[in-house]
Amino acid sequence: MNERLLSERVTPQSSIRALIDNPPGKSGRESWDEPDEADGLASFSADASTYQVHARPVTKMLPSVHFIFKDRTIRTCQYTQLESDSRFSTLPEGKGNRLVFRFAGSVAVQVVIEGRNLWKLYDYLSQHRMAWVHELPAEKDFEGDEAPVVHSIAFEADGSGI
C-alpha cells in the first residue's frame, strides 16, 4: 500500500474515546445550567437603575415564574401547578388591571397582580412563557402612560375565592 495513504488513514476509535479526545463544544451538557440570554432569563438585574416590569417572553414553555417584590425578595411558583381558571379584569375608574392566578401545590395560593397595561403579561403568564415579573419599587410610577407597570403582587393563601 502507498505510504501516503497509510499516513492519511484514520485509526478507528470507540465513540467514548472520540468524545474524550475531542469533547463537544457548547452543545454539550456544560451549557445546560447557563441562562440563554436570548430567552430573557438572565435579563433581570437587581442593580439596574431602570425599571423592567417583566422578562422578555420566551418561545418555549418554562418550568417556573419568579415574582420579584419591591424589596427585591423573590417568590417562585411552578407553572405545572397553575390552575386553568385565571382572570384578567379592568379596575374601576381606569385604575389599571388586575390579574389573578391560582397555583395549587401542597398549599394553594392565589397570586393577584395589579398595575396597568398588563394584557401581554397576562397572556405570557397564561402560556407559561414569562420567567419573572417585577413589582415597581418604592411606589414610584415614572413610566409613561403606555408602559406596562406592576404596582403590586400579593399572595393570598387558599385561593379558593377565584
Side-chain angles (χ1 to χ4, degrees), residues 68-125:
I68 305 165
F69 297 96
K70 292 176 180 28
D71 63 0
R72 307 288 187 171
T73 58
I74 299 172
R75 191 157 175 188
T76 303
C77 292
Q78 302 301 311
Y79 276 123
T80 57
Q81 298 171 342
L82 178 60
E83 294 286 314
S84 63
D85 188 21
S86 300
R87 305 267 171 97
F88 176 91
S89 59
T90 300
L91 296 171
E93 301 174 22
K95 301 257 183 190
N97 310 119
R98 175 179 290 138
L99 318 180
V100 180
F101 299 93
R102 184 171 187 264
F103 292 88
S106 57
V107 174
V109 293
Q110 182 171 283
V111 180
V112 179
I113 301 171
E114 290 188 356
R116 68 169 191 269
N117 303 320
L118 299 179
W119 171 252
K120 286 183 179 180
L121 174 62
Y122 174 77
D123 201 31
Y124 291 132
L125 284 168

Side-chain angles (χ1 to χ4, degrees), residues 3-156:
E3 194 171 312
R4 185 175 145 259
L5 288 175
L6 282 175
S7 67
E8 291 176 1
R9 193 170 165 185
V10 177
T11 308
Q13 296 180 0
S14 73
S15 57
I16 293 173
R17 172 55 46 201
L19 285 172
I20 292 170
D21 292 342
N22 301 311
K26 285 288 188 183
S27 62
R29 289 185 179 202
E30 67 276 359
S31 65
W32 287 3
D33 291 331
E34 297 174 13
D36 185 356
E37 193 66 41
D39 283 341
L41 299 177
S43 61
F44 177 76
S45 171
D47 301 326
S49 60
T50 59
Y51 171 68
Q52 199 172 355
V53 68
H54 55 70
R56 286 176 284 152
V58 298
T59 57
K60 58 189 174 199
M61 292 178 73
L62 295 172
S64 61
V65 57
H66 303 295
F67 295 99
I68 305 165
F69 297 96
K70 292 176 180 28
D71 63 0
R72 307 288 187 171
T73 58
I74 299 172
R75 191 157 175 188
T76 303
C77 292
Q78 302 301 311
Y79 276 123
T80 57
Q81 298 171 342
L82 178 60
E83 294 286 314
S84 63
D85 188 21
S86 300
R87 305 267 171 97
F88 176 91
S89 59
T90 300
L91 296 171
E93 301 174 22
K95 301 257 183 190
N97 310 119
R98 175 179 290 138
L99 318 180
V100 180
F101 299 93
R102 184 171 187 264
F103 292 88
S106 57
V107 174
V109 293
Q110 182 171 283
V111 180
V112 179
I113 301 171
E114 290 188 356
R116 68 169 191 269
N117 303 320
L118 299 179
W119 171 252
K120 286 183 179 180
L121 174 62
Y122 174 77
D123 201 31
Y124 291 132
L125 284 168
S126 298
Q127 297 171 14
H128 305 199
R129 295 177 50 203
M130 187 56 58
W132 53 265
V133 178
H134 185 205
E135 194 175 36
L136 183 68
E139 297 296 332
K140 295 179 184 175
D141 193 350
F142 50 84
E143 302 297 320
D145 288 342
E146 299 302 314
V149 174
V150 170
H151 293 294
S152 68
I153 301 173
F155 278 73
E156 301 169 0

